[in-house]
């Protein structure tokens, strides 16, 4: 529900940044108490004391990324948080998070990742069964392919595996090209998400042709103040053991 004086888009964007900040706090072992970029401390306190449903859009959009810090740090998700993440599926159907005839398969894979992650914490969510990932394989060029993989970056977590992950293993060079291209274009959001796949591939024991440490530091420093982008870079650093960088 929009708050007085704000539009639904602004509320949803704020929710995504807020939930990303909370996840970042868990990942950095700060108890979830991270002030997202652009939030004053009083604003954050007010946001946290509003209706508990205020975080649902952020949980729905971030999906498995909201739970990723608990996966990476091997810590339990608070029961109310896990239940809220599951409830977000019912409140926000796929078309509410950008699913269209062209992108429905991407949302289906993201939902699969969230459902699988929730299963680790004792909750079951019914989601459509994704296909064979053929849409990724059918990309006409490494540019298109790497962008599609960036859209699926929430799958790049330990414990998840499937045809999208097989494509990532086989496409380390194309992912590296996509990351460099995004960096040159100063598209740090895309760069951070592609870097997550390269981090996952490297952690899986496959050599990647880039030194991720300085690239991730650069993205984190110049990522435009987006808490979500910082979360992406920190997840990648944690997956590759570079979290102290």
């Amino acid at each position: 529900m929009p708050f007085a004086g704000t539009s639904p888009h602004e509320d949803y964007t704020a929710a995504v940044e807020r939930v990303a900040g909370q996840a970042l706090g868990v990942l950095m072992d700060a108890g979830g108490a991270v002030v997202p970029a652009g939030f004053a401390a009083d604003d954050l306190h007010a946001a946290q004391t509003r209706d508990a449903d205020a975080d649902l859009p952020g949980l729905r959009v971030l999906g498995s990324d909201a739970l990723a810090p608990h996966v990476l740090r091997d810590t339990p998700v608070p029961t109310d948080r896990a239940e809220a993440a599951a409830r977000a599926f019912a409140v926000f159907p796929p078309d509410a998070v950008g699913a269209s005839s062209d992108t429905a398969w991407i949302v289906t894979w993201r939902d699969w990742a969230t459902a699988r992650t929730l299963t680790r914490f004792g909750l079951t969510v019914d989601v459509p069964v994704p296909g064979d990932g053929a849409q990724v394989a059918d990309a006409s060029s490494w540019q298109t392919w790497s962008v599609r993989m960036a859209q699926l970056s929430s799958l790049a977590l330990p414990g998840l595996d499937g045809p999208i992950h097989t494509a990532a293993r086989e496409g380390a060079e194309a992912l590296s090209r996509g990351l460099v291209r995004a960096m040159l274009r100063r598209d740090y959001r895309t760069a951070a998400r592609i870097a997550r796949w390269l981090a996952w591939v490297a952690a899986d024991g496959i050599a990647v042709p880039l030194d991720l440490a300085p690239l991730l530091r650069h993205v984190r420093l110049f990522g435009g103040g987006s808490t979500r982008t910082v979360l992406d870079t920190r997840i990648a650093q944690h997956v590759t053991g570079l979290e102290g960088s």
Side-chain angles (χ1 to χ4, degrees):
M1 177 181 297
F3 302 115
T6 62
S7 69
H9 176 75
E10 290 171 330
D11 287 334
Y12 294 167
T13 299
V16 171
E17 285 290 283
R18 183 170 59 250
V19 173
Q22 293 161 359
L24 184 60
V26 174
L27 187 60
M28 303 305 293
D29 199 22
V34 166
V35 178
F39 271 76
D42 290 344
D43 294 334
L44 182 63
H45 175 73
Q48 290 176 330
T49 55
R50 288 169 175 157
D51 186 342
D53 285 353
D55 282 349
L56 291 182
L59 289 168
R60 184 66 172 94
V61 171
L62 287 175
S64 57
D65 286 346
L67 308 171
H70 296 280
V71 174
L72 295 171
R73 296 188 66 86
D74 194 23
T75 58
V77 177
T79 301
D80 59 345
R81 194 59 159 181
E83 290 175 349
R87 187 156 55 92
F89 279 95
V91 176
F92 297 98
D95 60 353
V97 289
S100 66
S101 58
D102 295 326
T103 62
W105 69 276
I106 294 174
V107 174
T108 297
W109 273 109
R110 289 174 179 167
D111 288 352
W112 170 85
T114 305
R116 289 289 297 272
T117 305
L118 282 168
T119 298
R120 298 178 61 154
F121 300 105
L123 286 175
T124 300
V125 178
D126 291 327
V127 297
V129 177
D132 58 5
Q135 295 93 335
V136 170
D138 286 346
S140 59
S141 66
W142 61 265
Q143 292 99 326
T144 303
W145 183 80
S146 61
V147 169
R148 287 186 178 178
M149 291 298 286
Q151 294 172 316
L152 293 164
S153 63
S154 59
L155 277 68
L157 287 176
L160 298 178
D161 207 346
I164 307 298
H165 300 78
T166 298
R169 292 186 185 97
E170 296 173 351
E173 182 175 344
L175 286 169
S176 298
R177 289 181 179 179
L179 174 54
V180 171
R181 179 174 181 265
M183 294 285 286
L184 291 173
R185 293 164 60 92
R186 298 184 181 180
D187 181 359
Y188 296 119
R189 182 177 66 174
T190 298
R193 295 175 184 181
I194 296 175
R196 285 186 54 181
W197 276 116
L198 286 170
W200 186 90
V201 167
D204 201 46
I206 298 172
V208 299
L210 293 176
D211 184 354
L212 291 178
L215 290 171
L216 288 169
R217 284 198 299 270
H218 186 86
V219 172
R220 197 177 77 236
L221 290 172
F222 299 99
S226 167
T227 307
R228 186 179 182 183
T229 297
V230 175
L231 177 63
D232 281 323
T233 60
R234 285 298 190 181
I235 289 174
Q237 288 175 317
H238 201 101
V239 167
T240 55
L242 299 169
E243 63 269 25
S245 301

